[in-house]
Amino acid sequence: MKRFFVIDLLWVVMIVLAGWTWSWHDQNEYADRLAHFGLSEDGQVFKTDSAETLQAVAEKLTQSDVQNVQVQFQDGKRIYVWGNTSNLPLQDGQWFTQADLTSALPVAVVGQNQTATLVQGNNQQYLKQAGRFIPVIGTVGTHGNNALNDVTFFNASATDEAAPRLNAVTIIADGSGLAKAKTKLQAIFSATSDRNYSYQLTAGNSWWADNGPTILRCAGIGVLAVIIAGLTIWLMVPSSLLGMDRQLHAQLRRGLWTQTVTHTLFATVIGVTIDWWWLYLTNRVRLVIFAAGLWLGYLLIVRAGVSLRYRKGGTFDDIS
């Protein structure tokens, strides 16, 4: 019916706005992850008093058969890596291969702001460090002033005596195999303690600073859903129909209710489909749950509002 066209259009627009809200949230989460060099908040930070070399520790990690874990030994803007589980955005070249991460020959992956300092050789760029020329195999980076653009990654397996020792770096492990490997890692690092890696602790952001804007946007979309519900109630129960025969009312309302459910469900699917293919979303399940919640809440408001309006109009039957 033509009266539902406006509702359908508004509903699709609202679901697209919901998708934009979660896309914005996901992009901020991704930017945070890049600022933490690909590490998630599921990571673990290990503290140790061991003065062992990073090369020796990398060899122990390889021999221990730890899988699906990346370990970063962070020393300011220099990060020594073991474990090939990175998903950082490459601007050029490649990330470390498994062979690189067990090799005694040093190679590097640099942030895009470091490229101006590289030395160009025959079809190869080099990073000059402590009198050595280290081959650069790739460049990572992202837009803005993200910390990722300013760091340099090295394969920990090729560190020499001049590199910092284990107790002089920040040890962070992450990956899908972390829970299974945690006991092994504690032993390898001779860890005296460990804690969860937290963006709030490392970046100084509060929970509200990270999530508050998304919550406020979702609340605004919820208000819009209530407004659309009010418009639906007004369209479903025009004043000319109030006071009509009780049986005719029930039949008419059942038909309108069925149309309302099917129209908005179809509009929800269209909106989610647009979001799914058009917007950047790393967690689509969140969007689907939010959209389903909006739809169910809308139906409850419409059901209650229509019944109340009919009651005030002089007749009342449940919409069923």
Side-chain angles (χ1 to χ4, degrees):
M1 296 174 65
K2 291 183 179 180
R3 73 178 71 181
F4 283 109
F5 176 77
V6 174
I7 301 298
D8 293 342
L9 184 60
L10 288 174
W11 196 260
V12 170
V13 170
M14 185 189 69
I15 297 300
V16 171
L17 285 175
W20 175 83
T21 294
W22 286 111
S23 175
W24 178 87
H25 183 83
D26 288 349
Q27 288 180 63
N28 283 343
E29 282 189 341
Y30 183 59
D32 282 344
R33 185 157 187 162
L34 295 184
H36 292 85
F37 319 120
L39 297 169
S40 74
E41 289 192 281
D42 295 325
Q44 288 284 307
V45 181
F46 296 89
K47 184 175 177 59
T48 182
D49 295 326
S50 172
E52 199 165 14
T53 65
L54 301 186
Q55 186 180 44
V57 173
E59 185 176 349
K60 286 183 179 180
L61 287 167
T62 300
Q63 293 175 350
S64 69
D65 195 31
V66 171
Q67 297 179 358
N68 299 318
V69 172
Q70 183 187 95
V71 181
Q72 292 188 6
F73 306 97
Q74 297 184 358
D75 178 32
K77 293 183 179 180
R78 294 179 298 175
I79 299 177
Y80 303 90
V81 177
W82 178 89
N84 192 16
T85 60
S86 177
N87 57 356
L88 296 174
L90 281 164
Q91 303 295 316
D92 187 41
Q94 64 181 38
W95 184 249
F96 302 105
T97 65
Q98 190 60 42
D100 293 328
L101 295 169
T102 57
S103 173
L105 298 176
V107 289
V109 175
V110 300
Q112 63 184 11
N113 290 347
Q114 306 302 308
T115 56
T117 65
L118 300 180
V119 178
Q120 183 67 47
N122 292 329
N123 300 319
Q124 175 66 60
Q125 290 182 310
Y126 296 89
L127 176 69
K128 187 176 182 181
Q129 186 181 65
R132 296 193 304 169
F133 289 89
I134 300 174
V136 174
I137 60 173
T139 303
V140 293
T142 186
H143 61 276
N145 297 320
N146 197 290
L148 175 66
N149 299 328
D150 296 314
V151 298
T152 303
F153 298 91
F154 302 94
N155 51 336
S157 62
T159 51
D160 58 19
E161 291 292 327
R165 298 301 179 104
L166 192 61
N167 57 2
V169 298
T170 301
I171 309 166
I172 308 173
D174 192 20
S176 60
L178 178 58
K180 184 177 180 180
K182 184 176 178 180
T183 301
K184 285 184 180 180
L185 295 175
Q186 289 172 326
I188 292 169
F189 302 143
S190 300
T192 57
S193 64
D194 60 81
R195 62 174 174 82
N196 292 331
Y197 183 65
S198 172
Y199 291 174
Q200 284 72 40
L201 293 176
T202 53
N205 294 337
S206 66
W207 181 90
W208 179 255
D210 288 337
N211 299 284
T214 301
I215 293 174
L216 292 176
R217 285 178 171 87
C218 288
I221 292 171
V223 171
L224 179 58
V226 172
I227 293 173
I228 296 174
L231 180 60
T232 303
I233 294 167
W234 178 72
L235 290 174
M236 284 181 66
V237 193
S239 301
S240 59
L241 299 180
L242 297 176
M244 293 176 61
D245 177 77
R246 182 185 183 94
Q247 184 176 357
L248 183 58
H249 263 295
Q251 182 180 353
L252 177 62
R253 285 159 55 193
R254 279 195 295 270
L256 290 174
W257 173 252
T258 300
Q259 290 183 64
T260 300
V261 171
T262 55
H263 271 252
T264 52
L265 177 60
F266 187 63
T268 301
V269 171
I270 291 176
V272 169
T273 301
I274 293 172
D275 295 336
W276 197 285
W277 294 107
W278 183 38
L279 299 174
Y280 172 88
L281 293 163
T282 59
N283 190 337
R284 292 185 172 94
V285 174
R286 250 182 336 207
L287 170 64
V288 172
I289 292 174
F290 183 65
L294 288 172
W295 181 64
L296 292 174
Y298 160 86
L299 293 180
L300 289 174
I301 293 172
V302 170
R303 186 183 183 93
V306 169
S307 295
L308 179 62
R309 192 158 186 228
Y310 269 108
R311 181 183 294 150
K312 288 183 177 181
T315 61
F316 173 73
D317 288 306
D318 287 333
I319 306 174
S320 58

